Amino acid sequence: MRKEGNKLVLKEEINDGMLEDFISKINNKRIEIIQIETDNICALALQQLFCINKEKEIICKNNFLSLFFENIEYK
């Protein structure tokens, strides 16, 4: 994970052991965009991203994972 201005780029694996740090970084008020460039991301991390999808822009470079973010509906 690396910060680039107001963007958090996820290039490496995100596993369960990294979850606490991951949640802290994605909830940072200065982070407005989260860019996913890995296909190795744990289910709990994805769940956190689904929860903040309404508040922050999620850019997903993985075709399979991007389908999940495109089909999220909030009611």
Coordinates of all heavy atoms in Angstrom, one line a residue:
M1 N 0.8 -1.2 0.0 CA 0.0 0.0 0.0 C 0.9 1.2 0.0 O 1.8 1.3 0.8 CB -0.9 0.0 1.3 CG -1.9 -1.0 1.3 SD -2.9 -0.9 2.8 CE -1.9 -1.7 4.0
R2 N 0.6 2.1 -0.9 CA 1.3 3.4 -0.9 C 0.3 4.6 -1.1 O -0.6 4.4 -1.9 CB 2.4 3.4 -1.9 CG 2.0 3.5 -3.3 CD 3.3 3.6 -4.2 NE 2.8 3.9 -5.6 CZ 2.4 3.0 -6.4 NH1 2.4 1.7 -6.1 NH2 2.0 3.3 -7.6
K3 N 0.7 5.7 -0.5 CA -0.1 6.9 -0.7 C 0.5 7.7 -1.8 O 1.7 7.9 -1.9 CB -0.2 7.7 0.6 CG -0.9 7.1 1.7 CD -0.9 8.0 2.9 CE -1.4 7.3 4.1 NZ -1.3 8.1 5.3
E4 N -0.4 8.2 -2.6 CA 0.0 9.2 -3.7 C -1.0 10.3 -3.6 O -2.0 10.3 -4.3 CB -0.1 8.5 -5.1 CG 0.9 7.4 -5.3 CD 0.8 6.7 -6.6 OE1 -0.2 7.1 -7.4 OE2 1.6 5.8 -6.9
G5 N -0.6 11.3 -2.8 CA -1.5 12.4 -2.6 C -2.8 12.0 -1.9 O -2.7 11.5 -0.8
N6 N -3.9 12.2 -2.6 CA -5.2 11.8 -2.0 C -5.6 10.3 -2.4 O -6.8 9.9 -2.2 CB -6.3 12.7 -2.3 CG -6.7 12.7 -3.8 OD1 -5.9 12.2 -4.6 ND2 -7.8 13.2 -4.2
K7 N -4.7 9.6 -3.0 CA -5.0 8.2 -3.5 C -4.2 7.2 -2.7 O -3.0 7.4 -2.4 CB -4.6 8.2 -4.9 CG -4.9 6.8 -5.6 CD -4.3 6.7 -7.0 CE -4.8 7.7 -7.9 NZ -4.2 7.5 -9.3
L8 N -4.8 6.1 -2.4 CA -4.2 4.9 -1.8 C -4.1 3.8 -2.9 O -5.2 3.4 -3.4 CB -4.9 4.4 -0.6 CG -4.3 3.2 0.2 CD1 -3.0 3.6 0.8 CD2 -5.3 2.7 1.2
V9 N -2.9 3.4 -3.2 CA -2.7 2.4 -4.3 C -2.4 1.1 -3.6 O -1.5 1.0 -2.8 CB -1.6 2.8 -5.2 CG1 -1.4 1.7 -6.3 CG2 -1.9 4.2 -5.9
L10 N -3.2 0.1 -4.0 CA -3.0 -1.3 -3.4 C -2.4 -2.2 -4.5 O -3.1 -2.6 -5.4 CB -4.4 -1.9 -3.0 CG -5.2 -1.0 -2.1 CD1 -6.6 -1.7 -1.8 CD2 -4.5 -0.7 -0.8
K11 N -1.1 -2.4 -4.5 CA -0.4 -3.2 -5.5 C -0.1 -4.6 -5.0 O 0.0 -5.5 -5.8 CB 0.9 -2.5 -5.9 CG 0.7 -1.4 -7.0 CD 2.0 -1.0 -7.6 CE 1.7 -0.7 -9.0 NZ 2.7 -1.0 -9.9
E12 N 0.2 -4.7 -3.7 CA 0.6 -6.0 -3.1 C -0.5 -6.7 -2.5 O -1.6 -6.1 -2.3 CB 1.7 -5.7 -2.1 CG 3.0 -5.1 -2.6 CD 2.9 -3.6 -2.6 OE1 2.1 -3.0 -1.9 OE2 3.6 -3.0 -3.5
E13 N -0.3 -7.9 -2.1 CA -1.3 -8.7 -1.4 C -1.8 -8.0 -0.1 O -1.0 -7.3 0.6 CB -0.7 -10.0 -1.0 CG -1.5 -10.9 0.0 CD -0.8 -12.1 0.5 OE1 0.4 -12.2 0.4 OE2 -1.5 -12.9 1.1
I14 N -3.1 -8.0 0.1 CA -3.7 -7.6 1.3 C -4.3 -8.8 2.0 O -5.2 -9.4 1.5 CB -4.8 -6.5 1.1 CG1 -4.3 -5.4 0.2 CG2 -5.4 -6.0 2.4 CD1 -3.3 -4.5 0.8
N15 N -3.7 -9.2 3.2 CA -4.1 -10.4 3.9 C -4.8 -10.0 5.2 O -4.7 -8.9 5.6 CB -3.0 -11.4 4.0 CG -1.8 -10.9 4.8 OD1 -2.0 -10.2 5.8 ND2 -0.6 -11.1 4.3
D16 N -5.3 -11.0 5.9 CA -6.0 -10.8 7.2 C -5.1 -10.2 8.2 O -5.5 -9.4 9.0 CB -6.5 -12.1 7.7 CG -7.7 -12.7 6.9 OD1 -8.3 -11.9 6.1 OD2 -8.0 -13.9 7.0
G17 N -3.8 -10.5 8.2 CA -2.9 -9.9 9.1 C -2.6 -8.4 8.9 O -2.2 -7.7 9.9
M18 N -3.0 -7.9 7.8 CA -2.7 -6.5 7.5 C -4.0 -5.7 7.7 O -4.0 -4.5 7.4 CB -2.3 -6.4 6.0 CG -1.1 -7.2 5.7 SD -0.8 -7.3 3.9 CE -0.3 -5.6 3.5
L19 N -5.1 -6.3 8.1 CA -6.4 -5.7 8.1 C -6.5 -4.5 9.0 O -7.1 -3.5 8.6 CB -7.5 -6.7 8.5 CG -8.9 -6.5 8.1 CD1 -9.0 -6.2 6.6 CD2 -9.8 -7.6 8.6
E20 N -5.9 -4.5 10.2 CA -6.0 -3.3 11.0 C -5.4 -2.1 10.4 O -5.9 -1.0 10.4 CB -5.4 -3.6 12.4 CG -5.6 -2.6 13.4 CD -5.1 -3.0 14.8 OE1 -5.2 -4.2 15.2 OE2 -4.5 -2.1 15.5
D21 N -4.2 -2.2 9.9 CA -3.5 -1.2 9.2 C -4.3 -0.7 7.9 O -4.4 0.5 7.6 CB -2.1 -1.6 8.8 CG -1.2 -0.5 8.2 OD1 -1.3 0.6 8.7 OD2 -0.6 -0.8 7.2
F22 N -4.8 -1.7 7.2 CA -5.6 -1.4 6.0 C -6.8 -0.5 6.3 O -7.0 0.5 5.6 CB -6.0 -2.7 5.3 CG -6.9 -2.6 4.2 CD1 -6.4 -2.2 2.9 CD2 -8.2 -2.9 4.2 CE1 -7.2 -2.0 1.8 CE2 -9.0 -2.8 3.1 CZ -8.5 -2.3 1.9
I23 N -7.5 -0.9 7.3 CA -8.7 -0.2 7.7 C -8.4 1.2 8.1 O -9.0 2.2 7.7 CB -9.5 -0.9 8.8 CG1 -10.1 -2.2 8.3 CG2 -10.6 0.0 9.4 CD1 -10.7 -3.1 9.3
S24 N -7.3 1.4 8.9 CA -6.8 2.7 9.3 C -6.5 3.6 8.1 O -6.9 4.7 8.0 CB -5.6 2.6 10.2 OG -5.0 3.8 10.5
K25 N -5.8 3.0 7.1 CA -5.5 3.8 5.9 C -6.6 4.1 5.0 O -6.7 5.3 4.5 CB -4.4 3.0 5.1 CG -3.1 3.0 5.8 CD -2.0 2.4 5.0 CE -0.7 2.5 5.7 NZ 0.4 1.8 5.2
I26 N -7.6 3.2 4.8 CA -8.7 3.5 3.9 C -9.7 4.5 4.6 O -10.4 5.2 3.9 CB -9.5 2.3 3.4 CG1 -10.1 1.5 4.6 CG2 -8.6 1.4 2.6 CD1 -11.1 0.4 4.1
N27 N -9.7 4.6 5.9 CA -10.6 5.5 6.6 C -9.9 6.9 6.9 O -10.6 7.8 7.4 CB -11.0 4.9 7.9 CG -12.0 3.8 7.7 OD1 -12.9 3.9 6.9 ND2 -11.9 2.7 8.5
N28 N -8.7 7.1 6.4 CA -8.0 8.3 6.5 C -8.8 9.4 5.7 O -9.1 9.2 4.5 CB -6.6 8.2 6.0 CG -5.8 9.5 6.1 OD1 -6.3 10.6 6.0 ND2 -4.5 9.3 6.3
K29 N -9.2 10.5 6.3 CA -10.0 11.5 5.7 C -9.3 12.1 4.4 O -10.0 12.6 3.5 CB -10.4 12.6 6.6 CG -11.3 12.1 7.7 CD -11.8 13.2 8.6 CE -12.5 12.7 9.8 NZ -13.9 12.5 9.6
R30 N -8.0 12.1 4.4 CA -7.3 12.6 3.3 C -7.3 11.7 2.0 O -7.0 12.2 0.9 CB -5.8 12.9 3.6 CG -5.7 14.1 4.6 CD -4.3 14.4 4.9 NE -4.2 14.4 6.3 CZ -3.2 14.0 7.0 NH1 -2.1 13.6 6.4 NH2 -3.2 14.0 8.3
I31 N -7.6 10.4 2.2 CA -7.7 9.5 1.1 C -9.1 9.6 0.5 O -10.1 9.4 1.2 CB -7.4 8.0 1.6 CG1 -6.0 7.9 2.1 CG2 -7.7 7.0 0.5 CD1 -4.9 8.2 1.1
E32 N -9.1 10.0 -0.7 CA -10.4 10.1 -1.5 C -10.6 9.0 -2.5 O -11.7 8.8 -2.9 CB -10.5 11.5 -2.1 CG -10.5 12.6 -1.1 CD -10.4 14.0 -1.8 OE1 -10.4 14.1 -3.0 OE2 -10.2 15.0 -1.0
I33 N -9.5 8.5 -3.0 CA -9.5 7.5 -4.0 C -8.7 6.2 -3.6 O -7.6 6.4 -3.0 CB -8.8 8.0 -5.3 CG1 -9.6 9.3 -5.8 CG2 -8.8 7.0 -6.4 CD1 -8.8 10.1 -6.9
I34 N -9.2 5.1 -3.8 CA -8.5 3.8 -3.5 C -8.4 3.1 -4.9 O -9.4 2.8 -5.5 CB -9.2 3.0 -2.5 CG1 -9.3 3.8 -1.2 CG2 -8.5 1.7 -2.3 CD1 -10.2 3.2 -0.2
Q35 N -7.2 2.8 -5.3 CA -6.9 2.1 -6.5 C -6.4 0.7 -6.3 O -5.4 0.6 -5.6 CB -5.9 2.9 -7.4 CG -5.7 2.4 -8.7 CD -4.9 3.3 -9.6 OE1 -5.1 4.5 -9.6 NE2 -3.8 2.8 -10.2
I36 N -7.2 -0.3 -6.8 CA -6.8 -1.7 -6.5 C -6.1 -2.2 -7.8 O -6.6 -2.2 -8.9 CB -8.1 -2.5 -6.3 CG1 -8.9 -1.9 -5.1 CG2 -7.7 -4.0 -6.0 CD1 -10.2 -2.5 -5.0
E37 N -4.8 -2.6 -7.6 CA -4.0 -3.1 -8.7 C -3.6 -4.5 -8.4 O -2.6 -5.0 -9.0 CB -2.8 -2.2 -8.9 CG -3.2 -0.8 -9.4 CD -2.0 0.0 -9.7 OE1 -0.8 -0.4 -9.7 OE2 -2.2 1.2 -10.0
T38 N -4.2 -5.2 -7.4 CA -3.9 -6.5 -7.1 C -5.1 -7.4 -7.2 O -6.2 -6.9 -7.0 CB -3.2 -6.6 -5.7 OG1 -2.9 -8.0 -5.4 CG2 -4.2 -6.1 -4.6
D39 N -4.9 -8.7 -7.4 CA -6.0 -9.6 -7.3 C -5.9 -10.5 -6.1 O -6.7 -11.4 -5.9 CB -6.1 -10.5 -8.6 CG -4.8 -11.3 -8.8 OD1 -3.8 -11.1 -8.1 OD2 -4.9 -12.1 -9.7
N40 N -4.9 -10.2 -5.3 CA -4.7 -11.0 -4.1 C -5.1 -10.1 -2.9 O -4.3 -9.6 -2.2 CB -3.2 -11.4 -4.0 CG -3.0 -12.5 -3.1 OD1 -3.9 -13.0 -2.4 ND2 -1.8 -13.0 -3.0
I41 N -6.4 -10.1 -2.6 CA -6.9 -9.3 -1.5 C -7.9 -10.1 -0.7 O -8.8 -10.8 -1.3 CB -7.5 -8.0 -2.1 CG1 -8.0 -7.1 -1.0 CG2 -8.6 -8.2 -3.1 CD1 -8.3 -5.6 -1.4
C42 N -7.8 -10.2 0.6 CA -8.6 -11.0 1.4 C -10.1 -10.6 1.4 O -10.4 -9.4 1.1 CB -8.1 -11.2 2.8 SG -8.2 -9.7 3.8
A43 N -11.0 -11.5 1.7 CA -12.4 -11.2 1.7 C -12.8 -10.1 2.7 O -13.6 -9.2 2.4 CB -13.2 -12.5 2.0
L44 N -12.1 -10.1 3.9 CA -12.4 -9.1 4.9 C -12.0 -7.7 4.4 O -12.7 -6.7 4.7 CB -11.7 -9.4 6.2 CG -12.2 -10.6 6.9 CD1 -11.4 -10.9 8.1 CD2 -13.7 -10.4 7.3
A45 N -10.9 -7.6 3.7 CA -10.5 -6.3 3.1 C -11.5 -5.8 2.0 O -11.9 -4.7 1.9 CB -9.1 -6.4 2.5
L46 N -11.9 -6.8 1.2 CA -12.9 -6.4 0.2 C -14.2 -5.9 0.8 O -14.9 -5.0 0.4 CB -13.2 -7.6 -0.7 CG -12.3 -7.9 -1.8 CD1 -12.6 -9.2 -2.6 CD2 -12.2 -6.7 -2.8
Q47 N -14.6 -6.6 1.9 CA -15.8 -6.2 2.6 C -15.7 -4.8 3.1 O -16.6 -4.0 3.0 CB -16.1 -7.1 3.8 CG -17.4 -6.9 4.5 CD -17.6 -7.9 5.6 OE1 -16.6 -8.4 6.2 NE2 -18.8 -8.1 6.0
Q48 N -14.5 -4.4 3.6 CA -14.3 -3.0 4.1 C -14.4 -2.0 2.9 O -15.0 -1.0 3.1 CB -13.0 -2.9 4.8 CG -12.8 -3.6 6.1 CD -13.8 -3.1 7.1 OE1 -14.0 -1.9 7.3 NE2 -14.5 -4.0 7.8
L49 N -13.9 -2.4 1.8 CA -14.0 -1.6 0.6 C -15.4 -1.4 0.1 O -15.8 -0.3 -0.3 CB -13.1 -2.1 -0.5 CG -11.6 -2.0 -0.3 CD1 -10.8 -2.8 -1.4 CD2 -11.1 -0.6 -0.3
F50 N -16.2 -2.5 0.2 CA -17.6 -2.4 -0.2 C -18.3 -1.4 0.7 O -19.2 -0.6 0.3 CB -18.3 -3.7 -0.1 CG -17.8 -4.7 -1.1 CD1 -17.8 -6.1 -0.8 CD2 -17.4 -4.3 -2.4 CE1 -17.3 -7.0 -1.7 CE2 -16.9 -5.3 -3.3 CZ -16.9 -6.6 -3.0
C51 N -18.0 -1.4 2.0 CA -18.6 -0.5 3.0 C -18.3 1.0 2.7 O -19.1 1.8 3.0 CB -18.2 -0.9 4.4 SG -18.8 -2.5 5.0
I52 N -17.1 1.3 2.2 CA -16.8 2.7 2.0 C -16.9 3.1 0.6 O -16.6 4.3 0.2 CB -15.3 3.0 2.5 CG1 -14.3 2.3 1.7 CG2 -15.1 2.8 4.0 CD1 -12.9 2.8 1.7
N53 N -17.4 2.2 -0.3 CA -17.6 2.5 -1.7 C -18.5 3.7 -2.0 O -18.3 4.4 -2.9 CB -18.2 1.3 -2.4 CG -18.2 1.4 -3.9 OD1 -17.2 1.8 -4.5 ND2 -19.3 1.1 -4.5
K54 N -19.4 4.0 -1.1 CA -20.3 5.2 -1.2 C -19.6 6.5 -0.9 O -19.9 7.5 -1.5 CB -21.5 5.0 -0.3 CG -22.6 5.9 -0.6 CD -23.8 5.6 0.2 CE -25.0 6.5 0.0 NZ -26.1 6.2 0.8
E55 N -18.6 6.4 0.0 CA -17.9 7.6 0.4 C -16.6 7.9 -0.4 O -16.2 9.1 -0.4 CB -17.5 7.4 1.9 CG -18.6 7.1 2.8 CD -18.2 6.6 4.1 OE1 -17.0 6.7 4.4 OE2 -19.1 6.1 4.9
K56 N -16.0 6.9 -0.9 CA -14.7 7.1 -1.6 C -14.8 6.5 -3.0 O -15.5 5.5 -3.2 CB -13.6 6.5 -0.8 CG -13.5 7.1 0.6 CD -12.3 6.7 1.3 CE -12.3 7.2 2.8 NZ -11.2 8.1 3.1
E57 N -14.0 7.0 -3.9 CA -13.9 6.5 -5.2 C -13.0 5.2 -5.2 O -11.9 5.3 -4.7 CB -13.4 7.5 -6.2 CG -13.3 7.0 -7.6 CD -12.8 8.0 -8.6 OE1 -12.5 9.2 -8.2 OE2 -12.6 7.6 -9.8
I58 N -13.5 4.1 -5.7 CA -12.8 2.9 -5.8 C -12.5 2.7 -7.3 O -13.4 2.6 -8.1 CB -13.5 1.7 -5.3 CG1 -14.1 1.9 -3.9 CG2 -12.7 0.4 -5.4 CD1 -13.0 2.0 -2.8
I59 N -11.2 2.6 -7.7 CA -10.8 2.3 -9.0 C -10.1 0.9 -9.0 O -9.2 0.6 -8.2 CB -9.7 3.3 -9.5 CG1 -10.3 4.7 -9.5 CG2 -9.2 2.9 -10.9 CD1 -9.3 5.8 -9.8
C60 N -10.7 0.0 -9.8 CA -10.3 -1.4 -9.7 C -9.7 -1.8 -11.1 O -10.4 -1.8 -12.1 CB -11.4 -2.3 -9.3 SG -10.9 -4.0 -8.9
K61 N -8.4 -2.1 -11.1 CA -7.8 -2.5 -12.4 C -8.0 -4.0 -12.7 O -7.6 -4.4 -13.8 CB -6.3 -2.2 -12.3 CG -5.9 -0.8 -12.0 CD -5.8 0.0 -13.2 CE -5.5 1.5 -12.9 NZ -4.9 2.2 -14.0
N62 N -8.5 -4.8 -11.8 CA -8.8 -6.2 -12.0 C -10.2 -6.3 -12.5 O -11.1 -5.9 -11.9 CB -8.6 -6.9 -10.6 CG -8.9 -8.4 -10.7 OD1 -10.0 -8.8 -11.0 ND2 -7.8 -9.2 -10.6
N63 N -10.3 -6.9 -13.7 CA -11.6 -7.1 -14.4 C -12.6 -7.8 -13.5 O -13.8 -7.5 -13.5 CB -11.4 -7.7 -15.7 CG -10.7 -6.8 -16.7 OD1 -10.8 -5.6 -16.6 ND2 -10.1 -7.4 -17.7
F64 N -12.2 -8.9 -12.9 CA -13.1 -9.7 -12.1 C -13.6 -8.9 -10.9 O -14.8 -8.9 -10.6 CB -12.4 -11.0 -11.7 CG -13.3 -11.9 -10.8 CD1 -14.4 -12.6 -11.3 CD2 -13.0 -12.0 -9.4 CE1 -15.2 -13.3 -10.5 CE2 -13.8 -12.8 -8.6 CZ -14.9 -13.5 -9.1
L65 N -12.7 -8.4 -10.1 CA -13.1 -7.6 -8.9 C -13.9 -6.4 -9.3 O -14.8 -6.0 -8.5 CB -11.9 -7.2 -8.1 CG -11.1 -8.4 -7.4 CD1 -9.9 -7.8 -6.7 CD2 -12.0 -9.1 -6.5
S66 N -13.6 -5.7 -10.4 CA -14.3 -4.5 -10.7 C -15.8 -4.8 -10.9 O -16.6 -3.9 -10.7 CB -13.7 -3.9 -12.0 OG -14.0 -4.7 -13.1
L67 N -16.2 -6.0 -11.3 CA -17.6 -6.3 -11.5 C -18.4 -6.2 -10.2 O -19.5 -5.8 -10.2 CB -17.8 -7.7 -12.0 CG -17.3 -8.0 -13.5 CD1 -17.3 -9.5 -13.8 CD2 -18.0 -7.1 -14.5
F68 N -17.8 -6.6 -9.1 CA -18.4 -6.4 -7.8 C -18.7 -5.0 -7.4 O -19.8 -4.6 -7.0 CB -17.6 -7.1 -6.7 CG -17.4 -8.6 -6.8 CD1 -16.4 -9.1 -7.4 CD2 -18.4 -9.4 -6.3 CE1 -16.3 -10.5 -7.5 CE2 -18.4 -10.7 -6.4 CZ -17.3 -11.3 -7.0
F69 N -17.7 -4.1 -7.7 CA -17.9 -2.7 -7.3 C -18.9 -2.0 -8.3 O -19.6 -1.1 -7.9 CB -16.6 -2.0 -7.4 CG -15.7 -2.4 -6.2 CD1 -14.7 -3.4 -6.4 CD2 -15.8 -1.9 -5.0 CE1 -13.9 -3.8 -5.4 CE2 -15.0 -2.3 -3.9 CZ -14.1 -3.2 -4.1
E70 N -19.0 -2.5 -9.5 CA -19.9 -1.9 -10.5 C -21.4 -2.2 -10.1 O -22.3 -1.5 -10.4 CB -19.6 -2.4 -11.9 CG -18.4 -1.8 -12.5 CD -18.0 -2.5 -13.8 OE1 -18.8 -3.3 -14.3 OE2 -16.9 -2.2 -14.2
N71 N -21.6 -3.4 -9.5 CA -22.9 -3.8 -9.2 C -23.4 -3.6 -7.8 O -24.5 -4.0 -7.4 CB -23.0 -5.3 -9.5 CG -22.9 -5.6 -11.0 OD1 -23.5 -4.9 -11.8 ND2 -22.0 -6.5 -11.4
I72 N -22.7 -2.8 -7.0 CA -23.2 -2.5 -5.6 C -24.3 -1.4 -5.7 O -24.1 -0.4 -6.4 CB -22.0 -1.9 -4.8 CG1 -21.0 -3.0 -4.5 CG2 -22.6 -1.4 -3.4 CD1 -19.8 -2.6 -3.8
E73 N -25.4 -1.7 -5.1 CA -26.5 -0.7 -5.0 C -26.8 -0.4 -3.5 O -26.9 -1.3 -2.7 CB -27.7 -1.3 -5.6 CG -27.7 -1.3 -7.1 CD -29.1 -1.7 -7.7 OE1 -30.1 -1.3 -7.1 OE2 -29.0 -2.4 -8.7
Y74 N -26.9 0.9 -3.2 CA -27.3 1.3 -1.9 C -28.7 1.8 -1.9 O -29.1 2.6 -2.8 CB -26.3 2.4 -1.4 CG -24.9 2.0 -1.2 CD1 -24.0 2.2 -2.3 CD2 -24.5 1.4 -0.1 CE1 -22.7 1.7 -2.1 CE2 -23.2 0.9 0.1 CZ -22.3 1.1 -0.9 OH -21.0 0.7 -0.8
K75 N -29.5 1.4 -0.9 CA -30.9 1.8 -0.8 C -31.2 2.5 0.5 O -30.5 2.3 1.4 CB -31.8 0.6 -1.0 CG -31.6 0.0 -2.4 CD -32.6 -1.1 -2.7 CE -32.4 -1.6 -4.1 NZ -33.4 -2.3 -4.6

